[in-house]
Amino acid sequence: PDAAACHALFTKLEFKALTAEFAKLLTTPAAVPLPALAAEVTTSYQTLTTPAELRRAFDSVYARDHVAFHLEDVDGVFARGSLSFGPGHGLCFERATLDADTTAAFLDVLANGLINKSCYDVKRALYLINCPPHGTVPPDQALDPTHAFQLESLTDDVYLAAYLLDPGVKAEQLTLPALAETHLGLAPAAIADL
């Protein structure tokens, strides 16, 4: 059967198990050469500063097939997050902006198996979400205090992929800005310029 057509149909009909099965059969499309694409893409970067803005952003993810996310920490504690829905489009938020409702909405998006996700350093992201009781971060800092969060439909991990391309690379060469500069020829923009 046509895997793409079946996946589209089962996604529309909300048949989660069949959607997941056919998602496994789909191949990843060929990569678009991003340096050429970057010149053509208009950019839209926003910092979300209220729980209402975050809720709208998290709710909008359900209308998409794919989202990329990244969680940043300060001294091992989740400090800020970012989402991207495609080239040139990004949203970022501070952890302090999350309330109980938006935290639950964010975790629901990440746990939803119908939405494909890309991440930078998924191992670190899961640590920041769960903050295991045996870790160095106080359990009350966890986004999921049950420590049982499961990420679904992860399609790729940029950090892991970069490491596998060159296992001998130093850790400072695996940061997102360093990877963008090395592999895409894109100099990172200053946050103030965005």
Side-chain angles (χ1 to χ4, degrees):
D2 181 350
C6 289
H7 181 265
L9 175 64
F10 294 141
T11 300
K12 187 174 184 176
L13 295 174
E14 298 181 7
F15 293 165
K16 293 180 182 181
L18 290 171
T19 299
E21 287 299 316
F22 278 92
K24 293 175 189 174
L25 299 176
L26 297 178
T27 58
T28 305
V32 176
L34 290 180
L37 181 62
E40 302 168 15
V41 173
T42 57
T43 57
S44 170
Y45 299 110
Q46 296 177 320
T47 299
L48 305 179
T49 58
T50 68
E53 289 175 326
L54 283 173
R55 184 61 192 214
R56 281 191 300 277
F58 298 151
D59 287 347
S60 76
V61 173
Y62 292 98
R64 304 171 193 284
D65 292 330
H66 193 271
V67 64
F69 75 97
H70 175 58
L71 303 181
E72 295 179 51
D73 66 282
V74 172
D75 297 328
V77 177
F78 171 50
R80 70 193 55 83
S82 56
L83 299 173
S84 177
F85 305 123
H89 178 81
L91 305 171
C92 66
F93 59 92
E94 297 292 324
R95 183 200 177 133
T97 310
L98 290 171
D99 59 16
D101 182 50
T102 53
T103 298
F106 182 50
L107 293 178
D108 285 347
V109 164
L110 297 181
N112 189 310
L114 298 176
I115 303 167
N116 291 324
K117 294 157 206 84
S118 295
C119 181
Y120 173 81
D121 197 358
V122 71
K123 182 179 175 183
R124 186 72 180 157
L126 287 172
Y127 178 82
L128 293 173
I129 291 170
N130 286 318
C131 293
H134 60 277
T136 58
V137 176
D140 65 337
Q141 295 295 320
L143 286 180
D144 178 18
T146 68
H147 313 296
F149 176 78
Q150 295 290 316
L151 178 66
E152 295 290 334
S153 297
L154 181 72
T155 58
D156 51 289
D157 180 340
V158 175
Y159 182 83
L160 180 60
Y163 174 78
L164 291 174
L165 284 173
D166 185 3
V169 72
K170 295 179 182 174
E172 60 269 8
Q173 295 171 308
L174 291 174
T175 65
L176 279 175
L179 291 172
E181 197 162 5
T182 302
H183 296 284
L184 303 174
L186 301 174
I191 294 296
D193 295 338
L194 301 176

